[in-house]
Amino acid sequence: MNYKLISKLLGYILLIETAFMAPSLILSLVERDGSSYGFLIPMAIAVFLGLILINLKIKKNSLSPRDGILTVTASWVLVSIVGALPLWISAGMTYVDSFFEIVSGFTTTGASVITGIESFPRSVVLWRSITHWIGGMGILVFTVGLLPKLGVGAFQIFKAESPGPVAGKIESRISQSSKRLYIIYLILSLILFICLKLAGMPVFDSLVHTFGVLGTGGFSSYNDSLMSYEGNAVHFILAIFMFLSSTNFAIYALLSKKKFKEVIQNDELKLWILIIVVAIALITIDLFSKGYSSLFMAFRDSAFQVTSISSTSGFANADYELWPSFSKFILIILMIFGGCAGSTGGGIKIVRISILLKLIKREMQKATHPKAVLPVISDGKSLSDEVVLSINAYLGTYFVIAVLSTGLVTLSGVDVITGFSSVATTLSNVGPGFGDIGPTKNFHFYSDFFKLYFSLLMLLGRLEFFTIMALFTRGRHRKEIIKL
């Protein structure tokens, strides 16, 4: 293990986190809201530790696969520990609640324990939302972009950090890939902010919702999210950008290079669009036929909630707990599926669903042609057995953890729907769920133990299980997990 290089990277990450805290500190000082010490103290701690760590002398300037995994896991835990301090110091929250809230922010989950966010200092609300924007693309991807001297070892970070079964490079060098991703991220953020401002949303609210939508997080500056927000333009703008944010960012890179044929051949994109269109249509019909007074409003709310839940953003413009059972069933499926690989969205990822459907089709064909050699084709390419195995392992792990965790959570006294929903929404990094954690409620009633457990589930979901699991295995088994 290259502990000195790992420590040095953690030092850079602390300094980067400090830089992202600066806007909230400035806002606090300008508005004199009394929360400035809540930022000054963690910033001072982070700068002190960061400067010590980045000045460590290293002999080996590369990372092994396990080094990359340890760096990613330690980074997410470290930024959450430090990032929780402003809420603990300035907002009067317990540290466990603060930690849960910030883990939810960095993992872009959007689950909350806060019942009156409007009463919080705006600087704290801003920091809470900035964590979405940082976590959406991944603070490690940002670090890799700034540290091109890492060389080949940087891929271990990029692979462990990037969501999806394959860490796709959109440039020949990892540092170039991460920089291009952040350029795309910045452009989309700027466009969304301008659109929201033109639609009549105040500057602060536009910032908060831009960070939440691009990171597919879900933290809002309002306790009821977007339910009381008037103006159809805002709802449709957010719906469009939630869809764009949960689409594989490699698609935008291909479009910028005018590689339209590769975009058209992308199986995940085609399935993703089909799922969204069908889900919106079915829920619109269900809502209109069972009580909605207007077909337009049924379409608006359906489009918003489908893109919100499927992108794992978790914003709400209606209390979907009151919707018909069929519509809620569709939302639960979308919650589990999630967005595309290589996006800021969570969940299982559409690419895995696409390949799973191809596997089912192949097994059906083998039933009648047992000796046939039938490769699994995705995007016009034959998938290796290793990729297929990793997808099966991921899906199996997801459902085993979901079932066991639901059983554990029901011991807290909640009903099965609330228990399963709490697990699914944290594991898929969605945010609000159903039952007692519906769009008008949150996780505040859970004990500290379960809040910490849900924090673990959020980290497991964001890092897709194997990154963390590989740290707690040895020898041959660890090598097998790393391959997954």
Side-chain angles (χ1 to χ4, degrees):
M1 296 290 287
N2 194 345
Y3 290 111
K4 285 191 175 181
L5 179 55
I6 294 171
S7 299
K8 190 165 188 169
L9 283 171
L10 293 178
Y12 279 110
I13 288 163
L14 283 172
L15 296 179
I16 292 170
E17 184 178 22
T18 301
F20 278 112
M21 280 189 187
S24 298
L25 173 62
I26 294 170
L27 180 62
S28 175
L29 293 171
V30 169
E31 297 192 343
R32 298 181 181 180
D33 60 11
S35 63
S36 56
Y37 284 107
F39 294 101
L40 285 170
I41 292 172
M43 288 173 74
I45 294 172
V47 168
F48 176 74
L49 291 176
L51 290 175
I52 292 175
L53 293 175
I54 66 172
N55 284 297
L56 290 175
K57 302 298 180 182
I58 57 175
K59 296 180 180 179
K60 186 180 178 183
N61 201 34
S62 62
L63 297 168
S64 68
R66 197 182 184 208
D67 290 337
I69 287 171
L70 178 58
T71 302
V72 170
T73 304
S75 297
W76 281 87
V77 174
L78 182 61
V79 296
S80 298
I81 290 172
V82 175
L85 293 176
L87 276 72
W88 182 46
I89 297 171
S90 299
M93 298 173 64
T94 66
Y95 187 77
V96 170
D97 282 356
S98 302
F99 183 75
F100 175 96
E101 199 78 14
I102 290 302
V103 170
S104 179
F106 278 122
T107 59
T108 71
T109 303
S112 181
V113 294
I114 298 173
T115 55
I117 191 63
E118 292 92 345
S119 65
F120 276 49
R122 293 208 305 171
S123 57
V124 175
V125 176
L126 179 62
W127 168 239
R128 177 174 172 257
S129 294
I130 287 175
T131 59
H132 273 340
W133 197 87
I134 303 171
M137 186 56 67
I139 194 170
L140 271 298
V141 174
F142 185 77
T143 305
V144 169
L146 295 178
L147 300 175
K149 291 184 180 179
L150 283 176
V152 177
F155 184 67
Q156 304 305 335
I157 292 179
F158 192 81
K159 181 179 179 181
E161 174 78 2
S162 302
V166 179
K169 295 188 289 183
I170 59 178
E171 298 287 353
S172 58
R173 293 175 62 85
I174 292 299
S175 60
Q176 293 174 340
S177 289
S178 61
K179 287 176 183 176
R180 181 174 283 271
L181 287 171
Y182 259 100
I183 289 172
I184 295 170
Y185 199 45
L186 283 166
I187 291 173
L188 287 174
S189 299
L190 181 60
I191 294 173
L192 174 56
F193 174 78
I194 293 172
C195 289
L196 290 175
K197 191 68 186 71
L198 291 175
M201 187 176 273
V203 172
F204 182 77
D205 291 347
S206 296
L207 274 176
V208 168
H209 291 92
T210 293
F211 293 145
V213 168
L214 263 295
T216 60
F219 283 155
S220 174
S221 47
Y222 301 101
N223 209 54
D224 65 354
S225 194
L226 276 298
M227 291 186 203
S228 59
Y229 213 94
E230 298 181 358
N232 293 322
V234 168
H235 295 264
F236 283 116
I237 288 169
L238 292 177
I240 290 169
F241 276 87
M242 284 187 286
F243 172 80
L244 294 176
S245 300
S246 50
T247 299
N248 194 328
F249 275 50
I251 295 295
Y252 305 130
L254 291 172
L255 289 173
S256 69
K257 296 178 180 181
K258 298 182 179 179
K259 295 183 178 181
F260 303 117
K261 185 178 179 180
E262 292 185 36
V263 174
I264 294 172
Q265 290 179 338
N266 190 281
D267 292 337
E268 181 185 35
L269 179 62
K270 288 185 284 187
L271 180 60
W272 172 231
I273 294 173
L274 177 63
I275 288 173
I276 294 297
V277 170
V278 171
I280 291 175
L282 290 175
I283 291 179
T284 298
I285 294 170
D286 193 37
L287 293 179
F288 183 63
S289 65
K290 295 178 181 176
Y292 259 65
S293 58
S294 162
L295 181 62
F296 174 78
M297 291 302 294
F299 171 71
R300 190 201 74 170
D301 289 356
S302 172
F304 188 95
Q305 288 307 151
V306 165
T307 53
S308 177
I309 297 296
S310 61
S311 68
T312 69
S313 296
F315 288 105
N317 74 337
D319 187 359
Y320 54 77
E321 267 288 290
L322 304 177
W323 285 8
S325 296
F326 179 68
S327 293
K328 290 194 286 186
F329 169 74
I330 294 175
L331 292 181
I332 291 174
I333 298 300
L334 295 176
M335 177 189 296
I336 296 171
F337 282 7
C340 297
S343 74
T344 60
I348 288 175
K349 304 293 185 303
I350 299 301
V351 67
R352 291 192 176 97
I353 303 301
S354 174
I355 294 172
L356 177 63
L357 292 175
K358 294 176 187 293
L359 283 171
I360 293 172
K361 180 181 178 181
R362 184 183 71 171
E363 293 307 310
M364 291 173 65
Q365 291 174 332
K366 278 192 170 184
T368 54
H369 302 86
K371 294 184 179 181
V373 178
L374 302 171
V376 178
I377 306 296
S378 181
D379 300 338
K381 300 175 183 177
S382 178
L383 296 179
S384 67
D385 291 338
E386 183 178 329
V387 172
V388 173
L389 173 63
S390 71
I391 290 170
N392 288 332
Y394 178 89
L395 294 173
T397 303
Y398 181 98
F399 287 109
V400 167
I401 291 176
V403 170
L404 294 179
S405 295
T406 299
L408 175 63
V409 172
T410 54
L411 292 175
S412 69
V414 299
D415 59 87
V416 174
I417 296 297
T418 299
F420 173 75
S421 180
S422 299
V423 170
T425 197
T426 50
L427 204 55
S428 291
N429 304 132
V430 177
F434 296 87
D436 292 339
I437 59 158
T440 61
K441 304 170 185 176
N442 63 26
F443 288 73
H444 75 277
F445 62 88
Y446 278 110
S447 68
D448 285 351
F449 169 80
F450 284 105
K451 288 172 184 173
L452 291 174
Y453 186 75
F454 289 131
S455 298
L456 173 62
L457 291 184
M458 287 187 274
L459 288 169
L460 281 171
R462 177 58 180 81
L463 298 179
E464 301 204 327
F465 311 133
F466 303 125
T467 298
I468 295 178
M469 290 169 61
L471 291 177
F472 299 97
T473 55
R474 295 183 178 180
R476 178 174 58 84
H477 298 293
R478 180 172 64 244
K479 292 179 181 179
E480 292 175 355
I481 290 176
I482 289 174
K483 287 181 181 180
L484 299 177

